[in-house]
Amino acid sequence: MRWATYAAVTSAVVLVGLALGLSLPLVSLRLDQWGYGQFAIGVMAAMPAIGVLLGARCTAALAARCGTQRSLQASLLLSAVSVAALALWPDYGLWLALRLLLGISLTVVFVLGESWINQLASDAWRGRLVALYGTAFALSQLCGPLLLSVLGSADDRAFWLAAALLVCGALLLLGRDGAPQVGRDVLGGGGLLAFCRAQPAIAWAVVLFAAFDVLVLTLLPVYLLREGIAQASALRMVGAVAVGNALLQLPLGLLADRLPRAALFRGCGLLLLVTCMLLPPLLHSPLVWLLLPLFGASAGGLYTLALVLVGARYRDEALVRANAHIALLWGLGCLLGPLSSGAASQWLSGHGLPLLLAGGAALFLVLAARRGAFELRGEGA
């Protein structure tokens, strides 16, 4: 196995997580300071999700034309330009377009980066190596809000630092090999509906975690502020969620290489449901600092296990195709999560965010109760 390449690819994607952890909360906080409502902030948060839907359609074709490594590097550089432009032109309408472009470019990064990592991993180590990637990415998202709490949201230093991190990620990929080989006949999304019909629980797990991930970085800080939490404490609470996501990944990866994965999936879904329901009543209690890591850990486990299952089955073109389907489902979750949570929080209940995620966890448990829910049947790609 190419350990140096695995480390370089994982590090490049981890730098993306740190850049997102810096820039996404800053955008939401800046809009809140400008007087925009939660729905307008939710619309902004949903723009990268539309970009995901567009980017997933063209990722495989781009990799076939330019190669996996070059496509990844070009996408990282384009993402850096998009983030830098947020600092240069502070305008809501322009930011919508820039966030859309950022969603397209980062989709290519995640689809090809996760495909490359799964391609490199041996079957005996797949759970642990995918979990190590998940841990590193979650820690990078943790460090983003914590670093933002130090830098502050009054100026644009966080935007510029995020752009620099993305450039560094592109440089890390120079001279690396072992990437998935993609032929020119590959298409990125033709089997999505078949994939969802064959694997509804896995598909919904991806949608649910995508909604969770973007809500934590965008609307959770606003939710906490409007519930009377100070900004510095709110950002630390977001960090506590990311800590929980990171802490579960390695033990979960180890268990995924040794125990039935269906039981692990259902356990994560049940824990997510419970923590979502407990968040509103415990929000101002010291117990919330114990609850928040469990909240993040349970959601992160869903995505890690989905990647392990898909990576164990597919290689090269099929692996890129399957990850493109996952990216489309991710985009759907990123789109529906902020829009529905923003609308629910503004017009139905101030606790719309945790209650909406609780409903998603309940639906996952229903789908996971089906016999053979986590057996991969057919190509679905």
Side-chain angles (χ1 to χ4, degrees), residues 20-32:
L20 289 176
L22 274 169
S23 60
L24 290 185
L26 179 56
V27 168
S28 295
L29 292 172
R30 190 67 60 81
L31 293 178
D32 187 58

Side-chain angles (χ1 to χ4, degrees), residues 141 204-214 245 296 299-303 330:
Q141 289 188 307
W204 182 248
V206 174
V207 172
L208 179 58
F209 179 69
F212 168 89
D213 194 55
V214 73
N245 184 10
L302 297 177
Y303 188 68
W330 181 280

